[in-house]
Every structure is written in structure tokens, then in C-alpha cells.
């Protein structure tokens, strides 16, 4: 025996590559190409650094209040954390203690399996169909909880509110998490269902639609009991989650609806243009409700296209995994970045 036998052995989540250079186009982590709201930037610039000698508001009271008001909820129904990844990992701890397997699609956010492994939560991955669609009927079986990203990643496909309702109807005795990381880009939110189903928990992030991936802000919305369990999980791990600067910037971002809407509109318009142009080149692309597309070329290998784009300093995401290794996940960039991407793709496809 060696102490090494006791060390964590886990296949950790692999994030999109962060190349160590400056002149490249980064379309591999679903970051927003536009900066955060000028009001959020101002809140950071105006932040009184002297106050950092104090701990932040432990439960991010001001931020939670702002988020609750924004969504028409009560503060007791909102929990804020350091990015959705932090919030989701606390959800897995707080909600999935039955010993029964939790269910999620085989093609979805790959952090799910990592958290299950590290927290020793049994799980079953339910096959999506050949068009990457999730059938709610597949979630009608004994389980310890359900996790669905809607819109789903990396497929980009968004489902409607009746889809979520169907899953909730069949799973009233477990927590159903709907991860709405991409919902602002044209998806349908399940927020109206919070009134009807107290086992529903919805997560959101500031990283994508609010352009604040570097700040680490995310939140969950659910019943007061579910939120209490999240506080219990958080306070057992780390009693001060969101730092003071992030709280101030988050409140300012929530307050700037106009900039938020304008940014979303630009990203969605660019997405439609990119999708249309790539389809003309022979790519098969499902209609996206997110800030990325999931593209497969009719004849050319995804890995080869990925390598070619990389040689042109354009980074997209390729997953070397069964069922999706023929596709690329491409984040929507600025119009200028998109033009350069399209030029490179035309060059490759026409040669
Ligand atoms: C990006 C992403 C998140 C997490 O974002 P954070 O940066 O941790 O807030 C969660 N779920 C999905 C599906 C995502 O793509």
C-alpha cells in the first residue's frame, strides 16, 4: 500500500484551451465577445478597495435581493455563488442524498459526471435521440434526481416549458435541476413553473449572457427549503461565497437591462448569419438557442477542421467523445471574428 492509493483518481472536467498568446480568435468556451455592462465596469472602478478588509456579505444579501426582484421572486428563493459551477456542485451535495441514481442526458454538460464521481452519487446517463433531442418519457423511472441543461450544451437545442413540466410531473419526489446557463439567447425559461413545483431548482450564470465569466457569479432559484439546503451545504464548505467586488458588479449588471438586451440581440443576429453561411458550405447545424452552434460537415472530419482552424489561430471546441466526435462546438464571436472564421472555413471546404 502507498499513500498514493488514497489520492483522488478522477477524470476531471476539461475546459476549452486558453492559448498563451494574444492574437487569436477564441470561440471555444462560450464566452461573450462583448464586454460586461458599462455599469458593471463602473461599479468595479468605483469600488472602495479599503472595504476589502472586511468579509463580504455572507449570503450576498444585496445581490440576492437584486436577482430576486429582477425575476419577481422573494430573496428566500434565490441563492448566489461563485459561478454556476459552484452553485451546481452545492446542489449535487444538497439535493442528491437518496442513494438512488440521478438522471441526466448522455450528451450534456460534462461536469455532471465529475461531480457524481467525486461526491459518490450514483447516476444514469439517458441517451438523447439521433437528433440530440431529450425525450421526457425517458425520465419516468425510479431516480434520485434529474439534471437537464435547457438549452442543452453542447447541442445548443432548447426545449419549451411543457417539456420541463412533463419531467416535473413524473418526478415530484426528487429535485429537478434545470440549468439555464444559455436561456437568455433565445431559450424558454422554466421560472413560471417555480410557483407550481417546489422541487424545481433553476440555475443561471453571469458568465455567458452577462459577459462576466472572469468574475465568477451564478445563482439558483427554488423553494425556500431547497435554498436553505444550499446554504447548509455552502456553510459546511466555505462560509463566504461571493466576494464584495463581484457582488457590486453583479448588482450593477442586473440593473442594466438595456445593455443586456442589446448585447443578446447582437449575439443572436451573428449566430443566425454564421449558421446560414455554414449551412451553405455543407454543414449540418441544429437551430441554436444558445451563444454557440454545434456543427457537423457532411463529408469533412471535425477533427481536421478543428486542427486547420487552430493553425489559423481560431480556436473552437472539439470533443473526442462517442456520438459527438463528428461535430464542432463554435462560440458566437463578434461580427469581425465571424467573418474571419467564415473565410477560413471557406478556404478549407473549397480545397
Ligand atoms: C458555462 C456553463 C455553466 C457554468 O458557468 P459558470 O461560469 O460556472 O457560471 C453551467 N452550465 C452550463 C451548461 C454551462 O455551459
Amino acid at each position: 500500500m502507498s499513500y498514493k492509493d488514497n489520492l483522488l483518481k478522477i477524470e476531471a472536467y476539461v475546459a476549452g484551451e486558453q492559448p498563451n498568446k494574444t492574437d487569436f480568435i477564441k470561440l471555444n468556451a462560450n464566452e461573450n465577445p462583448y464586454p460586461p455592462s458599462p455599469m458593471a465596469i463602473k461599479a468595479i472602478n468605483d469600488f472602495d478597495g479599503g472595504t476589502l478588509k472586511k468579509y463580504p456579505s455572507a449570503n450576498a444579501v444585496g445581490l440576492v435581493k437584486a436577482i430576486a426582484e429582477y425575476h419577481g421572486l422573494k430573496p428566500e428563493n434565490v441563492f448566489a455563488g461563485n459561478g454556476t459551477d459552484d452553485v451546481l456542485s452545492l446542489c449535487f451535495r444538497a439535493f442528491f442524498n437518496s442513494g438512488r441514481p440521478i438522471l441526466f442526458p448522455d450528451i450534456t454538460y460534462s461536469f455532471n459526471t465529475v461531480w457524481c464521481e467525486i461526491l459518490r452519487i450514483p447516476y444514469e446517463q439517458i441517451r438523447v435521440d439521433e437528433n440530440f433531442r431529450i425525450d421526457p418519457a425517458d425520465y419516468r423511472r425510479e431516480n434520485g434526481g434529474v439534471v437537464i441543461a435547457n438549452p442543452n450544451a453542447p447541442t445548443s437545442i432548447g426545449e419549451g416549458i411543457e417539456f420541463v413540466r412533463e419531467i416535473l410531473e413524473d418526478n415530484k419526489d426528487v429535485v429537478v435541476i434545470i440549468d439555464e446557463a444559455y436561456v437568455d439567447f433565445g431559450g424558454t425559461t422554466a421560472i413560471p413553473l417555480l410557483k407550481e413545483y417546489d422541487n424545481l431548482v433553476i440555475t443561471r450564470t453571469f458568465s455567458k449572457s452577462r459577459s462576466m465569466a472572469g468574475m465568477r457569479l451564478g445563482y439558483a432559484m427554488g423553494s425556500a427549503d431547497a435554498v436553505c439546503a444550499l446554504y447548509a451545504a455552502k456553510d459546511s464548505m466555505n462560509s463566504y461565497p461571493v466576494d464584495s467586488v463581484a457582488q457590486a458588479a453583479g448588482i450593477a449588471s442586473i440593473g442594466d437591462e438595456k445593455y443586456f438586451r442589446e448585447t443578446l440581440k447582437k449575439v443572436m443576429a451573428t449566430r443566425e448569419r454564421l449558421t446560414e453561411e455554414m449551412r451553405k458550405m455543407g454543414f449540418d447545424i441544429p437551430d441554436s438557442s444558445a451563444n454557440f452552434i454545434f456543427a457537423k460537415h457532411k463529408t469533412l472530419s471535425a477533427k481536421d477542421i478543428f486542427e486547420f482552424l487552430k493553425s489559423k489561430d481560431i480556436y473552437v471546441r472539439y470533443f473526442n467523445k462517442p456520438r459527438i466526435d463528428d461535430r464542432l462546438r463554435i462560440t458566437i464571436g463578434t461580427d469581425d471574428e465571424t467573418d474571419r472564421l467564415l473565410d477560413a472555413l471557406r478556404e478549407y471546404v473549397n480545397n
Side-chain angles (χ1 to χ4, degrees):
M1 276 289 276
S2 147
Y3 78 93
K4 290 183 186 168
D5 296 324
N6 300 331
L7 300 182
L8 181 64
K9 285 169 210 72
I10 205 161
E11 212 180 301
Y13 177 80
V14 185
E17 219 173 323
Q18 305 275 8
N20 198 5
K21 50 186 171 188
T22 48
D23 188 25
F24 66 98
I25 297 179
K26 188 169 186 300
L27 306 175
N28 67 355
N30 296 345
E31 292 145 327
N32 198 306
Y34 301 107
S37 152
M39 281 163 69
I41 295 173
K42 184 171 187 302
I44 296 166
N45 289 338
D46 291 352
F47 188 85
D48 176 3
T51 64
L52 287 177
K53 70 185 182 198
K54 298 253 180 64
Y55 280 111
S57 164
N59 294 342
V61 174
L63 176 63
V64 161
K65 185 164 169 280
I67 294 168
E69 271 169 19
Y70 183 75
H71 291 299
L73 302 171
K74 297 200 185 99
E76 70 199 41
N77 301 118
V78 174
F79 175 89
N82 289 309
T84 304
D85 290 339
D86 175 45
V87 174
L88 280 171
S89 83
L90 292 170
C91 286
F92 275 53
R93 273 172 217 279
F95 305 146
F96 300 148
N97 296 296
S98 68
R100 295 195 300 270
I102 68 160
L103 309 180
F104 47 84
D106 62 336
I107 296 173
T108 191
Y109 196 36
S110 47
F111 238 130
N112 288 351
T113 49
V114 178
W115 288 316
C116 285
E117 297 285 344
I118 202 161
L119 298 168
R120 299 170 196 228
I121 297 168
Y123 62 96
E124 276 174 42
Q125 293 169 281
I126 313 281
R127 220 177 140 82
V128 297
D129 75 11
E130 66 283 4
N131 299 315
F132 303 121
R133 299 296 290 272
I134 300 165
D135 183 355
D138 291 339
Y139 293 78
R140 202 173 294 150
R141 62 173 87 177
E142 161 121 325
N143 68 71
V146 176
V147 186
I148 305 275
N150 187 35
N152 196 11
T155 67
S156 80
I157 298 170
E159 302 289 351
I161 198 160
E162 290 311 315
F163 163 93
V164 179
R165 184 191 291 282
E166 206 176 324
I167 289 183
L168 285 162
E169 275 299 315
D170 289 332
N171 292 283
K172 289 183 172 165
D173 58 344
V174 295
V175 173
V176 173
I177 298 177
I178 303 293
D179 178 358
E180 295 189 349
Y182 297 103
V183 75
D184 296 320
F185 299 102
T188 305
T189 183
I191 288 178
L193 298 177
L194 285 170
K195 280 197 223 69
E196 289 173 64
Y197 300 91
D198 59 5
N199 59 323
L200 168 63
V201 171
I202 300 170
T203 59
R204 293 275 186 108
T205 178
F206 281 65
S207 298
K208 316 281 168 48
S209 56
R210 294 190 178 274
S211 312
M212 291 167 73
M215 192 104 243
R216 313 307 304 129
L217 271 178
Y219 55 97
M221 298 171 275
S223 68
D225 286 327
V227 167
C228 269
L230 283 173
Y231 279 119
K234 177 202 76 151
D235 292 338
S236 315
M237 302 289 301
N238 167 1
S239 49
Y240 293 96
V242 180
D243 71 71
S244 312
V245 184
Q247 291 190 31
I251 292 168
S253 169
I254 289 280
D256 193 354
E257 185 68 8
K258 186 164 170 285
Y259 178 87
F260 179 60
R261 292 286 148 204
E262 282 166 6
T263 307
L264 294 176
K265 220 169 117 187
K266 279 197 282 188
V267 171
M268 289 189 280
T270 308
R271 175 185 72 203
E272 298 319 307
R273 182 165 75 88
L274 176 66
T275 304
E276 198 180 316
E277 292 301 315
M278 283 180 65
R279 281 177 180 160
K280 283 186 208 155
M281 284 182 237
F283 284 92
D284 166 71
I285 306 169
D287 288 334
S288 167
S289 300
N291 69 335
F292 60 90
I293 57 170
F294 201 43
K296 167 188 159 159
H297 195 270
K298 288 186 171 49
T299 52
L300 303 169
S301 127
K303 184 149 194 295
D304 291 349
I305 302 172
F306 166 79
E307 296 295 349
F308 175 78
L309 291 174
K310 198 161 149 177
S311 76
K312 296 266 171 185
D313 283 329
I314 300 173
Y315 287 73
V316 300
R317 195 82 202 262
Y318 169 72
F319 298 95
N320 194 1
K321 286 188 184 169
R323 300 191 77 194
I324 57 170
D325 58 1
D326 55 355
R327 289 193 175 254
L328 297 172
R329 191 195 70 187
I330 305 176
T331 305
I332 306 305
T334 61
D335 276 314
D336 193 43
E337 289 169 330
T338 302
D339 288 337
R340 285 169 64 186
L341 168 67
L342 285 168
D343 285 345
L345 286 172
R346 277 188 203 103
E347 180 186 336
Y348 189 78
V349 170
N350 296 330
N351 280 314

